[in-house]
Amino acid sequence: MNTVINIWDTIVKSNTFNFLVMLAILYWIVKKFDIQGNLENFKNSITNSIKKADVEKELAGKTLLSAEKSVANLDFEISQKLKNAKKQAETLVKSIEEQTENKVNQLEKNIEKVIETEEKKISSKLTSKTATTSALLAKNHIISVLKAHPELHERFINQSIQELG
């Protein structure tokens, strides 16, 4: 029995036995805690995360390309819009200038018409006053001439009668 104990002692002290015991314990732990399933789940989770990251990377790439395309012509579009705005401003300025000039011309014409009308009124009043004054002066002159020369009075009456008849 001593030999069996020695053999058993040798086996227990040998690395092979310790290795087999350790393998048995590891096997039991792996089965007990389902490490293989957990590792498989972890592997699947990582694979899914990588696939999801690839899909998101592709979408981000498309978004980036879209953004780059929209920004690529941004300078040109801005310069075009600035040119268009400048042209519209120039057109508006010209239009305002033309309208202002037309209004000024119209006002000048209206002022000239008012001045002409006032001149005609004044001229008409002056002509009327001059004619009245001239007629009055002529009448006074005729009266004074007739008073100074009574024979002319009869002669004028005879001439008037001849013109009527």
Side-chain angles (χ1 to χ4, degrees):
M1 185 106 214
N2 229 354
T3 347
V4 172
I5 291 179
N6 273 340
I7 293 175
W8 178 251
D9 189 40
T10 306
I11 291 175
V12 171
K13 289 184 180 178
S14 76
N15 285 336
T16 308
F17 179 73
N18 288 334
F19 182 70
L20 289 176
V21 170
M22 186 183 77
L23 281 180
I25 292 172
L26 282 177
Y27 180 76
W28 178 78
I29 290 174
V30 167
K31 287 293 183 183
K32 176 75 175 174
F33 294 107
D34 193 24
I35 292 178
Q36 185 177 5
N38 286 337
L39 287 174
E40 189 65 32
N41 287 341
F42 187 64
K43 176 185 158 192
N44 288 339
S45 171
I46 291 173
T47 304
N48 288 339
S49 295
I50 290 172
K51 287 179 183 177
K52 196 183 263 187
D54 286 342
V55 168
E56 288 180 6
K57 180 183 173 184
E58 188 175 322
L59 286 175
K62 288 180 182 178
T63 304
L64 177 64
L65 284 176
S66 174
E68 285 176 349
K69 285 180 182 176
S70 68
V71 173
N73 293 330
L74 190 61
D75 287 340
F76 177 73
E77 290 174 6
I78 289 173
S79 66
Q80 286 298 103
K81 288 187 180 192
L82 286 174
K83 285 179 184 177
N84 289 342
K86 187 176 180 181
K87 285 180 183 177
Q88 287 176 347
E90 289 172 356
T91 304
L92 183 61
V93 166
K94 285 180 183 178
S95 173
I96 291 172
E97 286 176 350
E98 288 175 0
Q99 289 176 357
T100 304
E101 190 174 321
N102 288 339
K103 292 275 184 184
V104 167
N105 288 338
Q106 203 172 24
L107 286 172
E108 287 176 350
K109 287 179 183 176
N110 288 343
I111 289 171
E112 287 176 7
K113 286 180 183 177
V114 168
I115 289 172
E116 286 177 12
T117 303
E118 288 299 317
E119 284 177 350
K120 286 179 182 177
K121 284 181 183 178
I122 292 171
S123 176
S124 173
K125 285 181 181 179
L126 286 176
T127 303
S128 173
K129 285 183 180 182
T130 304
T132 304
T133 305
S134 295
L136 187 59
L137 284 175
K139 179 182 168 187
N140 289 337
H141 179 64
I142 292 172
I143 291 173
S144 67
V145 168
L146 288 176
K147 282 184 182 179
H149 302 289
E151 67 275 358
L152 292 176
H153 185 63
E154 257 182 66
R155 189 171 126 202
F156 286 137
I157 291 174
N158 288 334
Q159 277 181 350
S160 295
I161 290 173
Q162 284 177 358
E163 286 179 8
L164 286 173

